[in-house]
Short mmCIF file of all heavy atoms in Angstrom, two decimals:
data_model
loop_
_atom_site.label_atom_id
_atom_site.label_comp_id
_atom_site.label_asym_id
_atom_site.label_seq_id
_atom_site.Cartn_x
_atom_site.Cartn_y
_atom_site.Cartn_z
N GLY A 1466 19.42 22.02 -28.62
CA GLY A 1466 18.37 23.00 -28.92
C GLY A 1466 18.49 23.54 -30.31
O GLY A 1466 17.50 24.04 -30.91
N THR A 1467 19.71 23.50 -30.89
CA THR A 1467 19.96 23.98 -32.22
C THR A 1467 20.80 22.95 -32.96
O THR A 1467 21.73 22.44 -32.39
CB THR A 1467 20.77 25.31 -32.21
OG1 THR A 1467 20.12 26.22 -31.32
CG2 THR A 1467 20.83 25.92 -33.58
N VAL A 1468 20.38 22.60 -34.16
CA VAL A 1468 21.13 21.57 -34.89
C VAL A 1468 21.33 22.05 -36.35
O VAL A 1468 20.71 23.02 -36.77
CB VAL A 1468 20.39 20.22 -34.92
CG1 VAL A 1468 20.23 19.70 -33.53
CG2 VAL A 1468 19.03 20.34 -35.62
N ALA A 1469 22.20 21.35 -37.05
CA ALA A 1469 22.40 21.64 -38.48
C ALA A 1469 21.85 20.49 -39.30
O ALA A 1469 22.02 19.34 -38.95
CB ALA A 1469 23.89 21.80 -38.77
N LEU A 1470 21.14 20.85 -40.38
CA LEU A 1470 20.67 19.82 -41.30
C LEU A 1470 20.76 20.39 -42.74
O LEU A 1470 20.21 21.45 -43.00
CB LEU A 1470 19.20 19.45 -40.96
CG LEU A 1470 18.57 18.27 -41.72
CD1 LEU A 1470 19.26 16.97 -41.33
CD2 LEU A 1470 17.06 18.17 -41.45
N ASP A 1471 21.46 19.64 -43.56
CA ASP A 1471 21.65 20.04 -44.98
C ASP A 1471 22.18 21.47 -45.05
O ASP A 1471 21.69 22.29 -45.87
CB ASP A 1471 20.32 19.97 -45.73
CG ASP A 1471 19.73 18.57 -45.72
OD1 ASP A 1471 20.51 17.60 -45.55
OD2 ASP A 1471 18.51 18.41 -45.85
N GLY A 1472 23.10 21.80 -44.17
CA GLY A 1472 23.74 23.11 -44.21
C GLY A 1472 22.85 24.26 -43.70
O GLY A 1472 23.17 25.43 -43.94
N LYS A 1473 21.73 23.93 -43.02
CA LYS A 1473 20.91 25.01 -42.48
C LYS A 1473 20.74 24.85 -40.96
O LYS A 1473 20.74 23.70 -40.47
CB LYS A 1473 19.50 24.94 -43.13
CG LYS A 1473 19.46 25.37 -44.56
CD LYS A 1473 18.03 25.80 -44.92
CE LYS A 1473 17.93 26.07 -46.42
NZ LYS A 1473 17.54 24.88 -47.17
N MET A 1474 20.58 25.97 -40.30
CA MET A 1474 20.40 25.93 -38.85
C MET A 1474 18.91 25.63 -38.57
O MET A 1474 18.02 26.25 -39.17
CB MET A 1474 20.77 27.25 -38.23
CG MET A 1474 20.64 27.21 -36.70
SD MET A 1474 20.30 28.83 -35.96
CE MET A 1474 18.58 29.04 -36.33
N LEU A 1475 18.66 24.72 -37.65
CA LEU A 1475 17.30 24.46 -37.23
C LEU A 1475 17.23 24.69 -35.74
O LEU A 1475 18.10 24.22 -34.99
CB LEU A 1475 16.89 22.99 -37.52
CG LEU A 1475 16.95 22.51 -38.96
CD1 LEU A 1475 16.49 21.05 -38.99
CD2 LEU A 1475 16.09 23.36 -39.88
N ASP A 1476 16.18 25.35 -35.27
CA ASP A 1476 16.00 25.43 -33.82
C ASP A 1476 14.55 25.00 -33.46
O ASP A 1476 13.87 24.38 -34.28
CB ASP A 1476 16.42 26.80 -33.23
CG ASP A 1476 15.71 27.95 -33.94
OD1 ASP A 1476 14.79 27.68 -34.69
OD2 ASP A 1476 16.08 29.10 -33.65
N LEU A 1477 14.15 25.33 -32.26
CA LEU A 1477 12.91 24.68 -31.77
C LEU A 1477 11.64 24.91 -32.60
O LEU A 1477 10.84 24.01 -32.72
CB LEU A 1477 12.68 25.06 -30.28
CG LEU A 1477 13.74 24.41 -29.33
CD1 LEU A 1477 13.49 24.80 -27.89
CD2 LEU A 1477 13.76 22.88 -29.51
N PRO A 1478 11.45 26.12 -33.16
CA PRO A 1478 10.25 26.27 -34.03
C PRO A 1478 10.22 25.23 -35.16
O PRO A 1478 9.16 24.75 -35.57
CB PRO A 1478 10.38 27.70 -34.58
CG PRO A 1478 11.23 28.40 -33.58
CD PRO A 1478 12.18 27.39 -33.01
#
Side-chain angles (χ1 to χ4, degrees):
T1467 309
V1468 298
L1470 186 68
D1471 303 334
K1473 288 202 187 90
M1474 183 208 76
L1475 302 181
D1476 55 9
L1477 290 180

